[in-house]
C-alpha cells in the first residue's frame, strides 16, 4: 500500500515488529495529542483510562492483537512487513471504538482522508479475519460442566438498506437503536473470559430466540449435551438454554445466572455501526 508518511514506521522490514504494552501506551497517547510531560505526570491508571477511551482495549490486549497480525497462520489476517504501520493500526482501533467521520479523523491524526480510509479498513479487515483463529469452541466441549456459555444477541446499526417498495425495511428494524441494524449472536464461556461462539450477521428484526433456535447454536448444544444461560427472551428451550426467569431455580442458581448474564453484558462491546 502507498503511504503519505513513512516516518511513523520504526520496523517495517524485520521478521516481526513487537511492541510492549508500555510502548504502545506511550505511542497511542502521543498519537491522540497527549504530550510526554502530561503522560509522565499522570498515574498509570489514569493513562490506562485515557488509552482505553480512545482505542477500546488496554495496551496489553492491543499489543497481543498487533503481534497476532504478524504471526497468524491465516493468510487473510497476516500483515506483511512492509504494511506494519503502527499509526494506522491504532487509527483502526480508534475507528472501532469511536467511529469518527473521515473529517474528524483527518483533523485528529493529521492524515490524508483517502490514505487514512484505505489504511483503516485494511487493518479492520485484517483484525476481522482473526476470528477463525480466536473464536473457537473448545475441543473438550467444556469438560464435565453442564452449563457451558452465556448467550445473547448484540445489535449494530447500519444505513437503511434499499427496499423495492418502501423507504424502510421492517425486517432490519433494531428495537435497541430504533433504526436499521444487524444482529450478532454471541456466546461467552462460563469457565473463562473468552468468546467461543459468534454467529451472524442476521437482520435485526430476527429476534434472539429465533436465531438461537434456527441458526445452529441450539443444535450444537444439544449435540454436545450442554446448556446455555440466557435472559428471559430465550424461554421455550429448557434443555438447551436455561433462562434467568426459571421459577424452579434455587436462590444460589438465580444468583449464578444473574452474575453470568451481567458478566456477558459487561464483556460485550456495543457497536454503533456495522459494515464499511
Amino acid at each position: 500500500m502507498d503511504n503519505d508518511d513513512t516516518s511513523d514506521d520504526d520496523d517495517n522490514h524485520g521478521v516481526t515488529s513487537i511492541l510492549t504494552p508500555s510502548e504502545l501506551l506511550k505511542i497511542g497517547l502521543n498519537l491522540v495529542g497527549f504530550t510526554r510531560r502530561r503522560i509522565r505526570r499522570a498515574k498509570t491508571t489514569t493513562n490506562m483510562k485515557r488509552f482505553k477511551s480512545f482505542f477500546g482495549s488496554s495496551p496489553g490486549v492491543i499489543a497481543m492483537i498487533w503481534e497476532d497480525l504478524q504471526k497468524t497462520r491465516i493468510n487473510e489476517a497476516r500483515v506483511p512487513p512492509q504494511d506494519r504501520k503502527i499509526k494506522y493500526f491504532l487509527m483502526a482501533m480508534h475507528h472501532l471504538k469511536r467511529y469518527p467521520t473521515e473529517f474528524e479523523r483527518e483533523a485528529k491524526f493529521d492524515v490524508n482522508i483517502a490514505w487514512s480510509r484505505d489504511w483503516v479498513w485494511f487493518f479492520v479487515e485484517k483484525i476481522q479475519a482473526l476470528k477463525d483463529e480466536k473464536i473457537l469452541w473448545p475441543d473438550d466441549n467444556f469438560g464435565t460442566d453442564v452449563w457451558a456459555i452465556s448467550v445473547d444477541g448484540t445489535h449494530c446499526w447500519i444505513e437503511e438498506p434499499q427496499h423495492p417498495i418502501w423507504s424502510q425495511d421492517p425486517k432490519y428494524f433494531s428495537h435497541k437503536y430504533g433504526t436499521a441494524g444487524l444482529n450478532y449472536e454471541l456466546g461467552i464461556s462460563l469457565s473463562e473470559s473468552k468468546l467461543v461462539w459468534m454467529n451472524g450477521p442476521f437482520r435485526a428484526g430476527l429476534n434472539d430466540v429465533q436465531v438461537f433456535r434456527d441458526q445452529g447454536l441450539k443444535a450444537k448444544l444439544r449435540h454436545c449435551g450442554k446448556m446455555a444461560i440466557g435472559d428471559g427472551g430465550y424461554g421455550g428451550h429448557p434443555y438447551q438454554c436455561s433462562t434467568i426467569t426459571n421459577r424452579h431455580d434455587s436462590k444460589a442458581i438465580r444468583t449464578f445466572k444473574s452474575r453470568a448474564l451481567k458478566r456477558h453484558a459487561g464483556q460485550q462491546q456495543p457497536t454503533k455501526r456495522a459494515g464499511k
Side-chain angles (χ1 to χ4, degrees), residues 77-207:
R78 189 182 306 115
V79 177
Q82 68 272 16
D83 292 333
R84 291 170 190 166
K85 319 286 186 179
I86 189 62
K87 174 178 178 178
Y88 292 104
F89 167 70
L90 288 172
M91 284 170 53
M93 298 303 298
H94 178 266
H95 175 84
L96 294 173
K97 172 62 176 176
R98 294 289 190 90
Y99 203 81
T101 67
E102 292 187 334
F103 290 111
E104 289 171 335
R105 185 165 61 223
E106 178 187 31
K108 185 68 179 177
F109 297 104
D110 190 25
V111 290
N112 175 277
I113 284 182
W115 271 310
S116 65
R117 179 195 307 132
D118 291 343
W119 277 108
V120 163
W121 284 108
F122 170 79
F123 277 108
V124 167
E125 290 171 357
K126 292 292 184 182
I127 295 167
Q128 190 267 352
L130 285 173
K131 67 178 183 180
D132 293 333
E133 193 172 74
K134 297 298 180 180
I135 305 175
L136 300 173
W137 195 270
D139 293 334
D140 65 353
N141 287 321
F142 302 96
T144 59
D145 295 334
V146 175
W147 286 332
I149 63 173
S150 57
V151 62
D152 200 4
T154 185
H155 286 193
C156 309
W157 68 264
I158 60 173
E159 293 182 358
E160 189 70 45
Q162 289 187 345
H163 190 275
I165 301 175
W166 313 111
S167 61
Q168 295 178 320
D169 187 344
K171 293 181 179 180
Y172 281 94
F173 181 76
S174 167
H175 66 277
K176 296 182 180 180
Y177 287 111
T179 186
L182 298 173
N183 186 17
Y184 291 83
E185 182 182 56
L186 304 180
I188 297 176
S189 170
L190 294 175
S191 58
E192 57 181 329
S193 182
K194 186 175 183 181
L195 184 68
V196 296
W197 174 268
M198 183 172 70
N199 200 11
F202 306 101
R203 291 177 294 190
L206 194 67
N207 65 43

Side-chain angles (χ1 to χ4, degrees), residues 53-71:
S53 73
F54 283 97
F55 303 108
S57 298
S58 69
V61 170
I62 291 184
M64 287 189 287
I65 297 173
W66 177 244
E67 183 173 345
D68 288 338
L69 291 174
Q70 300 173 65
K71 294 184 175 181

Side-chain angles (χ1 to χ4, degrees), residues 4 12 29 38 76 85 120 145 182 187 263:
D4 63 330
N12 282 335
L29 292 181
R38 184 175 290 275
E76 294 79 8
K85 319 286 186 179
V120 163
D145 295 334
L182 298 173
R263 171 176 172 267

